[in-house]
Amino acid sequence: MTSAQLEIQLIASLVAIACAIPGTFLVLRKMAMISDAISHSILPGIVVGFFITQDLNSPLLILLAALTGVLTVVLVEKIQQTKLVKEDTAIGLVFPALFSIGVIMIAKYANDVHLDIDAVLLGELAFTPFDRVFYNGIDFGPKSLWVIAVILLVTLTLLLLFYKELKMSTFDAGLATSLGFSPAIIHYGLMSVASITTVGAFDAVGAILVVALMIAPAATAYLLTTNLTKMIILACFFGVFSAIAGYWCANYLDASIAGSIATVLGLVFFAVYLFAPHKGLIAVLYREKQQRIEVSLITFILHLKNHKEVEERHVNHLSEHINWQKVRSKTVLDLALKNNFVSIENSIISLTEKGNEFTTKAIDYILTNEDVQIEDMKKDFFLFRG
Amino acid sequence: MEKIAVKVDDLTVAYNYKPVLWDIDLQIPEGVLMAIVGPNGAGKSTLIKAILGILKPIAGSVTIFGKPYATQRKHVAYVPQKGSVDWDFPTTALDVVMMGTYGSLGWIKRPGPNEKKRALEALEKVGMLSFKSRQISQLSGGQQQRIFLARALVQDASIYFMDEPFQGVDATTEVAIINILKELRKANKTVVVVHHDLQTVPEYFDWVTFLNVKKIATGPVKDTFNDDNLTKTYGINYKVSIQK
Amino acid sequence: MEILEYIRLVFSDYTLRTITLGTAVLGGVTGMLGSFAVLRKQSLLGDAISHAALPGIALAFLITGSKDTNVLLIGALISGLIGTFWISGITSKTHLKSDTALGLILSVFFGFGMLLLTFIQKQPNANQAGLDKYLFGQAATLVESDVWLMSIVTGLCLLVLLLFWKEFKILLFDQDYAQTLGFNTKFIDILITSFIVLAIVLGLQTVGVVLMSAMLLAPAAAARQWTNSLSVMVLLAAVLGASAGVFGTAISSTQNNLSTGPVIVLVASVFVLFSFIFSPKRGLLFRQIKLIKNRNDLEFQKTLTFMYHIVENHEDVYHPHAIKILNNFQGYSRKGLQKLISKNYVRVNGEMWSLTPEGIAAVADMYNQNLKND
């Protein structure tokens, strides 16, 4: 591994962490598409900044572009307030317009300078080691590394300082306001951090892949935990993992590093989406099947308790009246028998003592709907699952 | 014996496998004005939606005049909650009411002059004829509710299901709705209303169903609407002064 | 190039005619279908679909080795649909919200597409030049068969729209109600979504994946401001979309180095801005004027009421009072007084004012109005 390769991976990893932190909050606040809007609409800010500074890594350019990002958020909110269009339409109107302006400016005026569309969409991670900081003739490493390190440092500091406020305003905006934390300050603070990070990362990974680095790790982490601290750490881990794995994939295929990182992010998400222990697709489908049977069982024994009449308790009634198909009726009946909830005599089903007790509990749970009782019920369910 | 308009058997509905309605048996005789009452989250709207097939129950069956609901749609009209639609939708009051004729038209066929006439009559019945070309967002909440009512009237059904028609309406609208209800009863139609205001139950309705996940009680208001059932439905010692 | 010269060329020059027709047809069909996307609150779905189509284009090229537009668009259609279904799979089976699902699919699919595109670029034998145009669109690459394809799809879309107009309308407004009337809402839903995906894919060559969603939204959002009728809105959106296409093409083809997509999108955005401000009923300008007028009316009424309160305790309500008293009232202004005089509600004699019978009647009228409104 050459030192350039090492530096690229280091930059990619730092970008991943810097994106994952604000990304987590955006996902939790249901504002993921705002990051898409910001990443597109900072383009005119970058172009103007580039005309002024002639340097993509200049702090002035980063601030200018980040300002465009925050302006986008404000513009979207202003349009929403007019009630002329719905919220998502407002987002969808603003960023293509600003992005178009940026693209046209590049095409018209920035032709001979080093700023082109490919760089805008994909970034040039592979070239970052060549643009280095020299001071008194000493090599201090790639410029991008310094830029993203500073941004990450600021993000981390803000995160640690305002962790409590961020957490509270994300999960309970009402409570946060009543305790005196202004939701607006937190909101715009977050938007500013997201904008600055987007601009800083933009140079390395490009506009659209910033979105991938913000949303995908957070979404993946959210499938595994609902604890905020764990979610942030997991998101950072997935980001860094994808950055490094993506780099080597790109190396092997001789293709875009950023595109490769996004692809790995997608694959990681897909794997977690399928196999996450509680919220993954397979777990959800399995649980739904279990629950379907459980609910059917309770429905059935509740029905028995409600009806003393013989004709309502006849075996055939199950498929005729309750409107279940043969197979389902049989599954449910077998389950009830296996757990000694019911007994059958001359095709008439009756509740047993245990079944009666269980039903009473079930009714209690349904009517009061307290969590404590759900737990009790669940334990009971495990009794007859096996 | 009186004819049964709606018969619900062993109906169980769950959202995400969380129970909301359990083993509901219900028989609604033809020609009654029935209120469904119960606390928030008792499953009142859910019951109506399950009867109408909008929600798929996990168990149970519904028959309308003795036949499965799917074959009896033309006998049933629905007034959804006002908040369930986007009132900024680009359409006029008349246009919304015309939607009531779509069911009888079936696929592809367009409404003609006859349908328009029926829609205008319904608008007149709810006192909204002068608002027929008004964009629906420029109507007051009560007027919007009356538009929904007119849309159901156009269906010329035998059974009407209304989801909280009195929710947040002005006095004029309340009177208009009550008049419509009375008229429907005179025509021997069956009306089922999800209702919130317990005070007005004895005044507006002749039949009542208490619902709280399970069916607590159902029957004529004079026999069923009592403190005992109210307490069972709403919890400990819930009492209202009942005007008899 | 002069404008007249350009217009002459549109009719005489084959290439220019083709691309102008192409962008017009495209703008028309996306405007039309965009109205449905906007009204269904699925504005950002188009963005996700168009980005998700990119890997399909690249894969179609990798598999077939063909650069035939139709082959590539079939690839785009397939991957766009996969993206759409995955989005609904994520939102229905996990607790992730739709915005997360949209952003995730959009960025990941696009990233994968870019990976494939850069991979193709590095292949020694494959001439990839031309796949790039799907990023921002290149109307100049449209040929007659592309325009035919667009026209056929547009015609088909129009036919379906006319046939199922009533069903579309009721689904958009009140899905539950449509279901109780016996309509198969799932079928209508799939029909609309399929056409939206088809329109997006058709536009990729002209506008590109990055900006395609704006072609759906902008004409519809602009059209919504001018009308309260669904049919007029759809029609107007089609016209605005087509105009954006024609103007955008005209501008980009007369300038060097401009992709078509961004210019068309910018033209459409100008339409939106204009509509937001100047639409006669909903527009911001109109609203501001109305606001000022209401405030003036209110001040006028308040001044009159204040005067009435001063005189009402007097035996003679027409008895004159000093103008100085009015200075105690915040809403009072010389202009307001002038207006009252011009309406003949108030008479002024030197430094004294008095109410006229018309003025008293006006106050009584106002009270009755207020009572009625309560």
Side-chain angles (χ1 to χ4, degrees):
Chain A
M1 198 158 42
T2 64
S3 75
Q5 283 180 324
L6 197 69
E7 280 168 1
I8 291 172
Q9 288 176 64
L10 190 61
I11 294 171
S13 303
L14 291 186
V15 168
I17 296 172
C19 286
I21 294 170
T24 303
F25 289 99
L26 290 177
V27 165
L28 286 174
R29 289 164 161 248
K30 306 183 189 74
M31 292 170 60
M33 284 309 273
I34 282 282
S35 75
D36 186 39
I38 291 176
S39 75
H40 283 80
S41 52
I42 54 170
L43 186 59
I46 288 180
V47 177
V48 171
F50 189 73
F51 288 154
I52 299 171
T53 62
Q54 296 295 320
D55 176 8
L56 273 178
N57 283 322
S58 136
L60 180 68
L61 175 138
I62 290 176
L63 281 179
L64 211 62
L67 201 67
T68 331
V70 178
L71 269 177
T72 309
V73 178
V74 175
L75 200 58
V76 167
E77 284 165 1
K78 284 278 172 253
I79 293 181
Q80 285 167 12
Q81 278 163 18
T82 65
K83 299 230 169 88
L84 291 172
V85 287
K86 304 277 174 303
E87 167 182 18
D88 56 342
T89 311
I91 297 178
L93 287 174
V94 169
F95 79 81
L98 288 170
F99 191 70
S100 298
I101 293 174
V103 172
I104 291 172
M105 282 191 333
I106 292 179
K108 290 301 288 181
Y109 308 111
N111 237 335
D112 16 303
V113 291
H114 166 74
L115 184 71
D116 61 35
I117 301 293
D118 272 5
V120 164
L121 289 176
L122 277 183
E124 288 171 331
L125 204 46
F127 298 150
T128 45
F130 304 124
D131 190 9
R132 308 185 78 85
V133 180
F134 289 99
Y135 188 72
N136 281 343
I138 305 163
D139 180 2
F140 280 90
K143 244 185 200 172
S144 303
L145 186 62
W146 283 101
V147 171
I148 200 66
V150 169
I151 291 174
L152 180 58
L153 204 67
V154 172
T155 306
L156 276 174
T157 315
L158 288 173
L159 177 73
L160 292 176
L161 279 178
F162 298 106
Y163 186 79
K164 189 179 70 207
E165 286 81 356
L166 267 167
K167 185 176 179 178
M168 203 177 290
S169 73
T170 300
F171 292 106
D172 192 344
L175 181 67
T177 317
S178 67
L179 289 178
F181 306 135
S182 157
I185 290 177
I186 302 269
H187 172 74
Y188 286 109
L190 185 61
M191 290 298 123
S192 308
V193 169
S195 295
I196 291 174
T197 311
T198 306
V199 182
F202 179 89
D203 180 32
V205 296
I208 292 158
L209 301 157
V210 174
V211 182
L213 278 171
M214 286 210 176
I215 300 172
T220 313
Y222 201 20
L223 288 177
L224 294 169
T225 179
T226 45
N227 176 304
L228 180 59
T229 316
K230 276 188 198 152
M231 193 174 154
I232 293 175
I233 293 170
L234 271 176
C236 291
F237 168 74
F238 287 130
V240 172
F241 172 81
S242 306
I244 292 170
Y247 171 76
W248 288 106
C249 280
N251 210 28
Y252 174 74
L253 291 171
D254 189 19
S256 152
I257 301 172
S260 173
I261 292 175
T263 308
V264 175
L265 281 170
L267 291 175
V268 169
F269 175 81
F270 187 59
V272 173
Y273 168 70
L274 287 183
F275 301 114
H278 293 293
K279 286 156 186 162
L281 190 63
I282 292 169
V284 166
L285 289 179
Y286 177 76
R287 193 167 57 241
E288 282 185 358
K289 190 169 165 253
Q290 287 294 332
Q291 282 172 330
R292 207 155 35 225
I293 296 170
E294 287 168 12
V295 172
S296 303
L297 178 73
I298 304 186
T299 310
F300 172 53
I301 56 174
L302 216 72
H303 179 73
L304 290 178
K305 195 179 163 75
N306 276 353
H307 297 275
K308 298 284 171 259
E309 314 90 301
V310 171
E311 65 269 22
E312 288 275 340
R313 293 191 283 129
H314 195 272
V315 171
N316 291 340
H317 172 78
L318 213 57
S319 45
E320 276 166 22
H321 220 159
I322 307 190
N323 217 4
W324 284 345
Q325 280 157 359
K326 279 252 153 58
V327 186
R328 192 160 164 203
S329 317
K330 198 170 165 355
T331 320
V332 171
L333 191 56
D334 286 349
L335 195 64
L337 278 171
K338 208 166 119 196
N339 285 284
N340 296 324
F341 283 169
V342 295
S343 59
I344 304 179
E345 231 173 282
N346 297 331
S347 296
I348 304 297
I349 312 164
S350 313
L351 274 183
T352 60
E353 196 59 37
K354 185 183 170 200
N356 206 4
E357 189 192 332
F358 183 81
T359 317
T360 316
K361 241 183 180 175
I363 294 172
D364 213 30
Y365 153 57
I366 295 157
L367 286 181
T368 52
N369 232 345
E370 275 166 22
D371 290 347
V372 189
Q373 272 145 324
I374 294 179
E375 288 315 306
D376 269 1
M377 298 280 294
K378 284 217 172 121
K379 259 182 236 151
D380 286 334
F381 282 137
F382 279 116
L383 280 177
F384 56 76
R385 240 182 215 167
Chain B
M1 201 187 122
E2 60 208 326
K3 215 165 141 195
I4 298 299
V6 182
K7 188 162 180 286
V8 177
D9 282 305
D10 311 324
L11 191 73
T12 297
V13 185
Y15 275 128
N16 298 323
Y17 301 96
K18 198 179 149 137
V20 274
L21 278 182
W22 284 80
D23 205 40
I24 306 286
D25 288 310
L26 193 62
Q27 299 194 348
I28 308 172
E30 193 180 15
V32 299
L33 279 185
M34 186 179 92
I36 301 178
V37 296
N40 285 333
K44 302 183 294 285
S45 298
T46 308
L47 177 59
I48 286 192
K49 285 185 179 166
I51 292 174
L52 291 168
I54 298 168
L55 291 173
K56 210 174 152 350
I58 55 170
S61 57
V62 175
T63 55
I64 305 287
F65 294 123
K67 295 198 191 102
Y69 170 71
T71 64
Q72 299 286 83
R73 286 188 198 279
K74 61 177 186 297
H75 293 306
V76 177
Y78 174 44
V79 180
Q81 269 184 33
K82 202 176 74 226
S84 65
V85 301
D86 171 20
W87 287 95
D88 196 32
F89 193 81
T91 191
T92 59
L94 178 62
D95 232 20
V96 173
V97 178
M98 291 272 265
M99 288 178 187
T101 67
Y102 287 8
S104 58
L105 285 168
W107 286 87
I108 295 175
K109 233 177 118 189
R110 294 290 192 86
N114 186 35
E115 279 74 25
K116 188 169 175 187
K117 202 177 121 240
R118 279 164 57 200
L120 289 172
E121 281 167 11
L123 270 172
E124 179 146 37
K125 263 190 208 160
V126 297
M128 291 289 294
L129 193 57
S130 51
F131 294 93
K132 67 176 163 52
S133 325
R134 191 70 80 83
Q135 141 72 14
I136 50 173
S137 67
Q138 279 147 24
L139 299 170
S140 74
Q143 289 169 333
Q144 291 172 344
Q145 189 65 62
R146 279 187 270 163
I147 292 298
F148 262 9
L149 202 62
R151 184 175 70 171
L153 290 177
V154 169
Q155 288 182 257
D156 196 23
S158 313
I159 306 167
Y160 291 82
F161 290 94
M162 304 183 183
D163 203 343
E164 306 206 7
F166 294 102
Q167 184 75 23
V169 300
D170 52 287
T172 327
T173 302
E174 185 147 355
V175 171
I177 298 176
I178 293 162
N179 286 338
I180 297 283
L181 290 182
K182 280 181 186 155
E183 212 172 289
L184 288 173
R185 174 162 47 188
K186 228 181 265 164
N188 201 35
K189 310 278 188 187
T190 312
V191 185
V192 179
V193 179
V194 170
H195 197 57
H196 252 317
D197 184 7
L198 290 171
Q199 306 286 347
T200 53
V201 168
E203 192 184 331
Y204 295 169
F205 300 97
D206 49 25
W207 208 266
V208 66
T209 293
F210 287 94
L211 193 72
N212 190 0
V213 184
K214 272 165 55 105
K215 182 191 74 184
I216 311 290
T218 184
V221 168
K222 59 179 182 340
D223 309 328
T224 322
F225 196 70
N226 50 38
D227 285 346
D228 185 33
N229 282 329
L230 282 168
T231 307
K232 274 191 203 154
T233 311
Y234 287 88
I236 309 148
N237 288 328
Y238 195 97
K239 284 199 170 63
V240 289
S241 55
I242 301 166
Q243 310 135 12
K244 287 216 168 151
Chain C
M1 212 181 332
E2 292 287 319
I3 291 174
L4 285 175
E5 165 83 356
Y6 178 79
I7 293 171
R8 198 182 57 76
L9 271 179
V10 167
F11 288 101
S12 61
D13 184 80
Y14 166 82
T15 319
L16 207 53
R17 194 175 58 216
T18 307
I19 58 177
T20 307
L21 264 175
T23 47
V25 171
L26 176 74
V29 70
T30 50
M32 217 153 65
L33 289 165
S35 306
F36 294 103
V38 166
L39 290 173
R40 306 192 69 194
K41 293 166 202 118
Q42 288 184 339
S43 295
L44 295 173
L45 186 63
D47 198 28
I49 294 172
S50 65
H51 283 74
L54 188 63
I57 293 173
L59 278 175
F61 175 76
L62 272 177
I63 292 167
T64 66
S66 151
K67 274 200 314 194
D68 178 55
T69 319
N70 296 342
V71 174
L72 299 183
L73 290 190
I74 287 173
L77 190 65
I78 293 171
S79 85
L81 284 172
I82 291 174
T84 316
F85 285 124
W86 200 9
I87 288 170
S88 65
I90 291 173
T91 46
S92 68
K93 288 295 174 205
T94 72
H95 62 303
L96 296 177
K97 297 288 177 292
S98 71
D99 64 308
T100 306
L102 287 170
L104 183 89
I105 296 299
L106 176 158
S107 55
V108 164
F109 271 62
F110 184 83
F112 182 50
M114 288 309 274
L115 174 75
L116 291 172
L117 281 188
T118 48
F119 176 72
I120 292 169
Q121 266 173 7
K122 301 278 165 65
Q123 298 298 297
N125 51 353
N127 173 17
Q128 59 78 42
L131 289 188
D132 274 7
K133 73 182 177 200
Y134 288 99
L135 288 180
F136 292 108
Q138 209 48 261
T141 61
L142 284 175
V143 292
E144 209 175 282
S145 65
D146 298 331
V147 179
W148 273 114
L149 182 68
M150 283 183 195
S151 307
I152 290 168
V153 172
T154 308
L156 202 67
C157 175
L158 212 59
L159 187 73
V160 169
L161 221 62
L162 285 174
L163 273 181
F164 296 103
W165 180 254
K166 168 175 116 247
E167 286 77 12
F168 282 155
K169 190 199 250 179
I170 195 166
L171 178 84
L172 287 177
F173 179 62
D174 194 345
Q175 181 163 356
D176 282 358
Y177 185 72
Q179 208 176 333
T180 67
L181 292 182
F183 291 107
N184 184 343
T185 47
K186 225 177 223 148
F187 170 73
I188 313 173
D189 190 28
I190 290 175
L191 203 60
I192 296 186
T193 312
S194 319
F195 269 102
I196 292 179
V197 175
L198 200 59
I200 288 172
V201 167
L202 275 181
L204 295 182
Q205 190 186 356
T206 319
V207 181
V209 298
V210 182
L211 294 167
M212 191 52 216
S213 69
M215 281 302 284
L216 280 179
L217 300 190
R224 176 70 190 91
Q225 313 311 323
W226 299 92
T227 175
N228 281 324
S229 146
L230 181 63
S231 45
V232 178
M233 173 176 167
V234 170
L235 212 67
L236 192 60
V239 171
L240 288 176
S243 324
V246 172
F247 290 135
T249 311
I251 295 168
S252 79
S253 59
T254 49
Q255 308 271 325
N256 287 330
N257 241 322
L258 274 190
S259 297
T260 329
V263 184
I264 296 183
V265 166
L266 217 53
V267 173
S269 304
V270 171
F271 288 169
V272 173
L273 192 69
F274 183 82
S275 307
F276 277 6
I277 297 174
F278 296 108
S279 124
K281 279 251 162 74
R282 297 162 64 101
L284 297 174
L285 192 69
F286 173 82
R287 235 190 261 178
Q288 199 59 38
I289 292 171
K290 204 171 145 191
L291 201 73
I292 293 169
K293 195 179 163 297
N294 278 350
R295 204 162 42 207
N296 286 346
D297 280 358
L298 197 69
E299 228 147 70
F300 176 77
Q301 290 186 358
K302 269 189 184 160
T303 315
L304 193 60
T305 320
F306 180 76
M307 289 169 148
Y308 178 75
H309 282 311
I310 295 172
V311 298
E312 70 180 337
N313 296 328
H314 277 261
E315 256 171 58
D316 175 17
V317 287
Y318 306 120
H319 184 81
H321 294 267
I323 288 183
K324 264 195 293 192
I325 309 177
L326 293 178
N327 290 334
N328 297 332
F329 174 56
Q330 272 193 335
Y332 166 75
S333 67
R334 276 270 161 207
K335 222 176 103 202
L337 190 63
Q338 283 304 323
K339 203 174 163 197
L340 283 167
I341 295 167
S342 70
K343 282 212 162 190
N344 202 22
Y345 289 167
V346 173
R347 213 174 294 141
V348 171
N349 196 351
E351 286 300 299
M352 305 293 273
W353 60 268
S354 60
L355 282 177
T356 62
E358 288 91 340
I360 302 278
V363 174
D365 223 37
M366 258 154 49
Y367 269 111
N368 289 336
Q369 284 273 318
N370 283 341
L371 281 180
K372 231 193 262 168
N373 288 343
D374 291 341

